[in-house]
C-alpha cells in the first residue's frame, strides 16, 4: 500500500511539471503580462508596454522566462496583483480558508443526506417513500446548481429569512467568538448545499440500488437464517458493504466541488478562491487568474490522487498494476 | 458542474451484449429489441415527445412571434405578465416568451454542437486507442489522463479570456476541444472488450484493412455505448453553456440564451421581486435536462441485455 502511494505521488511530479508548462503557455497568450503582474493591463500605450516588457525580461527567450517563473513559483512567489496591490500568494491565502470551509461542509452535508436518504429508500424499495426519494433525486440531478442556488436564495433567504444569501460573515462580528463561528457556518450552508446537490443525488441513487441488490445476496440470507434481527442485517451487514464504494469517490468530489465553486461562490458573493478567480478575470488581473488556475489544477490532481489511493485501499487488485 | 465527474459516476455498461442476450424471438436484431424496449418505457417516451416539442418550438421561434428578441423596449421594462405578454418582460423590456424561444434555440444549438464535437473526438481517439492497443494506446491514454487533470470549467473560462470578444462558435469549439476525455475513455473500454470477439478476429485474419474493421465492424457494435454517452453529454453540455452564460463567460450578452436570461436574477432586487424574469428560464433548463436524463436512462435500459423492462 505504501509503495503504491509513493509511486502514485512520484507520477504526479512530471504531471505537475507539464501542467505548469500549459499554464505558462496560456499565460503568455493573455494580453499584458499575466505572470508577474507588473504591467498595467489597462494601459495600452505602446511605448509603456515596450519599456516594461524589456525591463521585466519578457523579450528573453521563452525557456528563460519559464525558468524565472517556475523558480519564483517554487519559492512561493506568484507575482503581484495589479488590482489589489498585494502579492498574489497573500491574496489567495486570505481567500483559501473560505473555500476549504465550503468544501468541507459540502462533503459533510453530502455524505449525511445521501446516507440517510439512500438507507431510507433502500430498505423499502418500490413504496411511496422510495418513490418520493427517487423523484427528489431526479430533480436534483436535472437542476443545475446555479438554478438551485437562485431558488434557495429566493425561498430560504428572502421569503423565510432563515439563512444569509451573501458574504461569508455577518457585519460587526468579532473573530474568535462563538457568534463568529455560528455566523461563518450559517453563511456557508446554502452555497455548500448547492455544491453538494449533484453528489447527494448520485450517492443516494447508488446506495439505494446497491442495498436492494445486496439484500438478495447469500451472506444476507445466511444472516437471516441465523436469526439476525432485520435492523442489524441492514446496519451491520448491508450498509457497511454499500458505503465503501461511495467513500472512494471522495477525491472526485473534491475535484467537482472545486469546479463548481467558481459559479456558486459568484452567485452567493462568497469571498472564496472561485469568486476571486471570476473577479480577477473581469478586472483583467491576470496574475491572479493564472495563479488560481495553477492552484485549482493542483487541487484537482490531489483530489484524483486521494481517489486512487482510497480505491486501492479498498480493492487490493488495483495495487498490482 | 463538471461533465467529467458526472461521467465518473456512471456505471460502465456490461461488456459483450451479444453473448448474454437471451433470444426473445428469432431474427430480431439488437436494434429492434432496443426500439421495442424503448417504446414501452413510459418516462422515456414522454421525455422524447417533450424534448421534440421544445426543439420544434425553439427552431420556429421566428414564425411563432414577430417580436425582435434583441429589441429594447423602454415601455415594457420589468412589465408584469399580461394577456399580451404572457410572462411579462425583463429589465430591458424584452418579452420573456420570445426570449425563451430564441434562448432555447441558442442553448440547444450549443448543447447539440458541443456534444457532436465531443462524441466525434472521443469516438475517434477511443476507437483508435482501443483497437490498436500497445504503444498507440498508452500514448493516447496518457494524453487523455493528462487532459482530465485540468478543472474543465476553469480552463474553459481561461481559454475564453484569451479569445475575448468572440462569439458562439468560439465557445462551442473551446468546450468541444476540452471536453472529449470522458467519452474517449468510455469508448476505448468498450472497443477493447468488443475487439476480442471472433467476428473481429476473423475479419482481421482474412486481411480486412484496419480502417474498415473499425468503421464497418467495430463502430456499429459500440454504437449503443456511444448513444448513451451522447445523451448524458447533451445534458451536461446544456448545463455548461447556461452556467457559463450565467456568470458572463458564455454566449455574448446580446444573444438570447437561457443562461443569459438567468443572469438578470443575479441582481437581488430582480430575484426577490420579479419572479417572472428568472423562474421561466430556470424551469426550461431543469425540465429539458430532466427529459434528456430520462431519455438517456431509457437508452441505457433498452441496450442493456440484463434489463427486465
Amino acid at each position: 500500500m505504501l509503495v503504491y502511494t509513493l509511486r502514485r505521488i512520484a507520477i504526479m511530479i512530471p504531471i505537475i511539471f507539464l501542467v505548469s508548462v500549459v499554464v505558462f503557455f496560456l499565460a503568455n497568450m493573455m494580453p499584458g503580462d499575466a505572470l508577474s503582474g507588473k504591467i498595467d493591463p489597462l494601459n495600452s500605450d505602446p511605448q509603456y508596454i515596450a519599456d516594461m516588457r524589456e525591463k521585466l525580461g519578457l523579450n528573453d527567450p521563452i525557456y528563460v522566462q519559464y525558468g524565472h517563473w517556475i523558480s519564483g513559483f517554487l519559492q512561493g512567489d506568484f507575482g503581484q496583483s495589479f488590482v489589489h496591490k498585494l502579492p498574489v500568494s497573500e491574496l489567495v491565502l486570505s481567500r483559501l480558508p473560505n473555500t476549504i470551509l465550503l468544501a468541507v461542509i459540502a462533503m459533510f452535508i453530502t455524505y449525511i443526506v445521501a446516507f440517510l436518504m439512500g438507507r431510507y429508500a433502500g430498505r423499502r424499495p418500490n413504496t411511496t417513500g422510495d418513490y418520493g426519494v427517487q423523484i427528489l433525486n431526479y430533480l436534483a440531478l436535472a437542476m443545475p446548481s446555479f438554478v438551485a442556488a437562485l431558488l434557495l436564495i429566493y425561498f430560504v433567504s428572502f421569503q423565510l429569512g432563515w439563512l444569509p444569501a451573501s458574504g461569508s460573515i455577518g457585519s460587526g462580528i468579532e473573530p474568535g467568538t462563538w457568534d463568529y463561528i455560528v455566523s461563518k457556518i450559517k453563511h456557508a450552508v446554502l452555497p455548500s448545499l448547492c455544491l453538494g446537490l449533484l453528489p447527494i443525488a448520485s450517492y443516494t441513487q447508488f446506495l439505494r440500488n446497491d442495498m436492494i441488490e445486496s439484500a438478495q445476496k447469500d451472506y444476507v440470507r445466511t444472516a437471516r437464517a441465523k436469526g439476525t434481527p432485520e435492523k442489524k442485517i441492514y446496519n451491520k451487514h448491508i450498509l457497511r458493504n454499500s458505503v465503501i464504494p461511495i467513500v472512494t469517490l471522495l477525491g472526485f468530489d473534491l475535484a467537482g466541488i472545486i469546479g463548481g465553486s467558481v459559479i456558486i461562490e459568484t452567485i452567493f458573493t462568497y469571498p472564496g478562491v472561485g469568486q476571486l478567480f471570476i473577479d480577477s478575470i473581469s478586472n483583467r488581473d491576470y496574475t491572479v487568474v493564472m495563479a488560481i488556475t495553477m492552484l485549482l489544477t493542483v487541487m484537482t490532481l490531489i483530489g484524483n490522487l486521494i481517489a486512487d489511493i482510497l480505491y486501492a485501499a479498498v480493492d487490493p487488485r488495483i495495487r498490482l498494476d | 458542474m463538471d461533465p467529467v465527474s458526472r461521467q465518473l459516476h456512471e456505471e460502465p455498461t456490461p461488456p459483450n451484449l451479444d453473448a448474454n442476450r437471451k433470444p426473445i424471438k428469432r431474427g430480431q436484431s439488437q436494434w429492434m429489441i432496443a426500439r421495442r424496449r424503448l417504446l414501452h418505457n413510459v418516462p422515456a417516451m414522454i421525455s422524447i415527445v417533450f424534448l421534440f416539442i421544445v426543439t420544434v418550438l425553439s427552431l420556429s421561434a421566428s414564425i411563432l412571434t414577430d417580436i425582435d428578441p434583441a429589441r429594447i423596449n423602454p415601455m415594457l421594462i420589468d412589465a408584469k405578465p399580461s394577456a399580451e405578454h404572457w410572462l411579462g418582460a425583463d429589465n430591458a423590456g424584452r418579452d420573456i416568451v420570445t426570449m425563451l424561444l430564441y434562448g432555447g434555440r441558442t442553448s440547444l444549438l450549443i448543447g447539440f454542437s458541443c456534444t457532436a464535437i465531443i462524441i466525434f473526438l472521443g469516438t475517434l481517439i477511443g476507437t483508435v486507442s482501443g483497437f490498436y492497443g500497445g504503444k498507440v494506446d498508452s500514448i493516447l491514454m496518457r494524453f487523455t489522463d493528462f487532459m482530465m487533470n485540468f478543472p474543465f470549467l476553469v480552463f474553459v473560462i481561461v481559454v475564453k479570456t484569451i479569445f475575448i470578444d468572440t462569439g458562439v462558435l468560439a465557445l462551442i469549439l473551446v468546450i468541444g476541444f476540452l471536453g472529449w476525455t470522458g467519452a474517449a475513455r468510455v469508448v476505448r473500454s468498450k472497443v477493447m472488450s468488443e475487439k476480442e470477439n471472433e467476428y473481429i478476429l476473423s475479419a482481421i485474419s482474412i486481411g480486412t484493412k484496419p480502417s474498415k474493421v473499425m468503421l464497418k465492424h467495430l463502430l456499429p457494435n459500440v454504437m449503443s455505448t456511444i448513444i448513451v454517452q451522447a445523451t448524458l453529454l447533451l445534458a451536461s453540455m446544456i448545463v455548461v453553456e447556461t452556467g457559463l452564460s450565467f456568470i458572463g463567460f458564455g454566449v455574448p450578452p446580446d444573444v438570447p440564451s437561457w443562461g443569459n436570461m438567468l443572469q438578470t436574477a443575479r441582481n437581488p432586487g430582480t430575484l426577490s421581486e420579479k419572479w417572472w424574469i428568472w423562474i421561466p428560464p430556470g424551469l426550461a433548463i431543469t425540465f429539458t435536462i430532466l427529459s434528456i436524463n430520462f431519455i438517456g436512462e431509457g437508452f441505457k435500459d433498452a441496450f442493456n441485455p440484463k434489463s427486465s423492462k
Side-chain angles (χ1 to χ4, degrees):
Chain A
M1 191 62 217
L2 184 70
V3 176
Y4 176 81
T5 311
L6 289 176
R7 208 169 56 202
R8 271 302 274 104
I9 293 175
I11 295 173
M12 260 179 76
I13 294 167
I15 293 179
I16 291 182
F17 169 72
L18 284 173
V19 164
S20 74
V21 173
V22 171
V23 170
F24 178 76
F25 177 71
L26 287 174
N28 259 297
M29 289 168 71
M30 292 224 158
D33 141 49
L35 292 173
S36 71
K38 296 208 171 91
I39 298 180
D40 182 354
L42 299 176
N43 188 337
S44 57
D45 176 20
Q47 187 60 43
Y48 163 80
I49 293 177
D51 286 351
M52 288 304 279
R53 287 186 71 87
E54 189 55 49
K55 204 172 124 196
L56 294 170
L58 292 182
N59 296 329
D60 290 350
I62 199 98
Y63 56 89
V64 175
Q65 288 186 45
Y66 175 77
H68 279 304
W69 174 65
I70 198 75
S71 61
F73 199 88
L74 290 174
Q75 291 160 28
D77 173 17
F78 297 76
Q80 194 80 13
S81 156
F82 211 90
V83 173
H84 298 264
K85 307 286 176 211
L86 273 175
V88 173
S89 49
E90 206 173 296
L91 188 64
V92 172
L93 278 180
S94 70
R95 300 292 193 97
L96 198 56
N98 280 335
T99 300
I100 291 176
L101 178 74
L102 218 54
V104 169
I105 296 186
M107 289 210 197
F108 201 66
I109 295 178
T110 301
Y111 282 103
I112 290 185
V113 175
F115 181 78
L116 291 177
M117 293 212 315
R119 193 180 68 159
Y120 176 82
R123 281 191 66 165
R124 35 181 91 63
N126 302 323
T127 57
T128 325
D130 177 38
Y131 290 141
V133 171
Q134 298 258 59
I135 289 171
L136 279 181
N137 260 331
Y138 276 115
L139 275 178
L141 283 173
M143 186 175 284
S145 57
F146 52 93
V147 177
L150 292 179
L151 286 174
L152 281 175
I153 294 177
Y154 182 73
F155 285 111
V156 180
S157 301
F158 290 172
Q159 300 288 324
L160 299 166
W162 286 350
L163 290 165
S166 66
S168 75
I169 188 76
S171 55
I173 296 176
E174 291 285 312
T177 57
W178 176 245
D179 283 349
Y180 183 82
I181 299 171
V182 172
S183 168
K184 253 321 217 219
I185 291 177
K186 267 188 167 176
H187 280 82
V189 169
L190 286 186
S192 305
L193 193 61
C194 295
L195 285 173
L197 199 62
L198 196 68
I200 288 176
S202 37
Y203 292 172
T204 307
Q205 196 78 355
F206 177 86
L207 195 58
R208 170 195 177 267
N209 294 345
D210 204 62
M211 280 179 73
I212 294 171
E213 205 176 296
S214 300
Q216 314 288 328
K217 290 215 170 124
D218 286 346
Y219 70 89
V220 175
R221 200 181 305 160
T222 312
R224 280 218 178 91
K226 286 196 305 182
T228 320
E230 201 68 5
K231 203 173 164 189
K232 209 172 164 190
I233 291 179
Y234 271 101
N235 288 342
K236 258 196 134 165
H237 297 256
I238 296 179
L239 265 176
R240 275 194 193 175
N241 279 309
S242 301
V243 162
I244 291 171
I246 293 183
V247 173
T248 60
L249 291 172
L250 189 125
F252 291 125
D253 283 348
L254 195 68
I257 286 172
I258 289 165
S261 67
V262 172
I263 292 182
I264 294 299
E265 283 181 7
T266 308
I267 302 176
F268 286 93
T269 51
Y270 189 87
V273 176
Q275 196 220 13
L276 181 64
F277 178 73
I278 296 294
D279 274 359
S280 304
I281 288 189
S282 313
N283 295 331
R284 308 197 167 206
D285 200 358
Y286 295 126
T287 339
V288 185
V289 173
M290 291 334 287
I292 295 181
T293 306
M294 192 72 199
L295 175 78
L296 293 185
T297 311
V298 171
M299 277 166 80
T300 312
L301 272 173
I302 293 173
N304 292 346
L305 174 76
I306 295 174
D308 278 356
I309 290 174
L310 284 175
Y311 208 75
V314 173
D315 187 346
R317 284 171 301 180
I318 304 279
R319 283 176 243 162
L320 297 174
D321 283 348
Chain B
M1 68 213 60
D2 185 7
V4 174
S5 65
R6 219 172 215 249
Q7 281 156 13
L8 288 170
H9 292 300
E10 282 306 315
E11 301 157 39
T13 16
N16 244 341
L17 281 184
D18 288 42
N20 302 337
R21 194 176 68 214
K22 271 185 216 148
I24 297 171
K25 212 195 269 176
R26 262 188 120 66
Q28 271 196 323
S29 77
Q30 184 201 345
W31 296 100
M32 285 160 77
I33 298 166
R35 195 180 59 197
R36 196 179 48 82
R37 285 211 186 112
L38 192 64
L39 284 171
H40 284 89
N41 187 332
V42 178
M45 286 319 287
I46 295 175
S47 302
I48 288 176
V49 172
F50 175 80
L51 193 65
F52 181 74
I53 293 174
V54 171
T55 314
V56 168
L57 284 180
S58 310
L59 287 178
S60 48
S62 49
I63 305 168
L64 291 171
T65 159
D66 47 9
I67 305 171
D68 178 6
R71 206 188 67 156
I72 290 166
N73 186 345
M75 300 290 289
L76 276 173
I77 284 179
D78 295 337
K80 283 193 176 162
S82 63
E84 202 184 335
H85 298 279
W86 292 347
L87 289 168
D90 71 357
N91 56 355
R94 294 172 294 190
D95 178 58
I96 297 284
V97 177
T98 309
M99 295 268 289
L100 267 185
L101 293 174
Y102 280 98
R105 192 150 89 174
T106 316
S107 296
L108 289 174
L109 173 81
I110 293 178
F112 277 108
S113 322
C114 292
T115 308
I117 296 180
I118 289 177
I119 285 296
F120 176 76
L121 288 176
T123 308
L124 184 72
I125 292 169
T127 311
V128 168
S129 186
F131 180 74
Y132 286 107
K135 260 211 177 98
V136 178
D137 180 45
S138 62
I139 292 172
L140 283 176
M141 277 304 116
R142 285 301 81 75
F143 181 57
T144 310
D145 287 346
F146 179 63
M147 292 289 284
M148 269 189 158
N149 286 321
F150 295 106
F152 178 72
L153 266 186
V154 172
F155 268 74
V156 171
I157 295 174
V158 168
V159 177
K160 267 290 279 177
T161 318
I162 296 173
F163 302 107
I164 213 159
D165 304 325
T166 47
V168 174
L169 186 67
L171 180 71
I172 295 174
L173 291 178
V174 170
I175 295 177
F177 283 104
L178 288 175
W180 52 269
T181 49
R185 270 197 176 182
V186 173
V187 172
R188 169 182 172 266
S189 64
K190 178 73 183 147
V191 166
M192 276 172 62
S193 69
E194 196 66 34
K195 77 166 182 189
E196 297 304 323
N197 284 336
E198 271 141 12
Y199 70 93
I200 300 285
L201 294 177
S202 44
I204 297 171
S205 69
I206 59 168
T208 317
K209 270 191 293 178
S211 57
K212 203 173 171 191
V213 176
M214 281 188 264
L215 282 174
K216 268 197 99 170
H217 300 288
L218 262 179
L219 216 50
N221 287 297
V222 292
M223 202 42 102
S224 58
T225 310
I226 295 174
I227 291 174
V228 172
Q229 198 62 25
T231 327
L232 297 168
L233 269 169
L234 178 61
S236 25
M237 285 307 117
I238 292 177
V239 175
V240 167
E241 180 276 320
T242 47
L244 283 172
S245 302
F246 177 71
I247 52 171
F249 292 95
V251 182
D254 52 331
V255 178
S257 99
W258 287 341
N260 277 345
M261 292 177 76
L262 276 175
Q263 209 181 341
T264 36
R266 280 174 60 192
N267 175 339
T270 310
L271 184 58
S272 61
E273 312 286 335
K274 291 149 197 153
W275 58 267
W276 62 89
I277 295 180
W278 61 273
I279 294 257
L283 289 182
I285 297 170
T286 306
F287 280 104
T288 304
I289 311 262
L290 188 65
S291 70
I292 297 173
N293 284 349
F294 276 129
I295 297 172
E297 276 202 12
F299 279 141
K300 217 196 239 165
D301 273 343
F303 290 128
N304 184 357
K306 285 184 194 154
S307 155
S308 53
K309 276 178 195 157

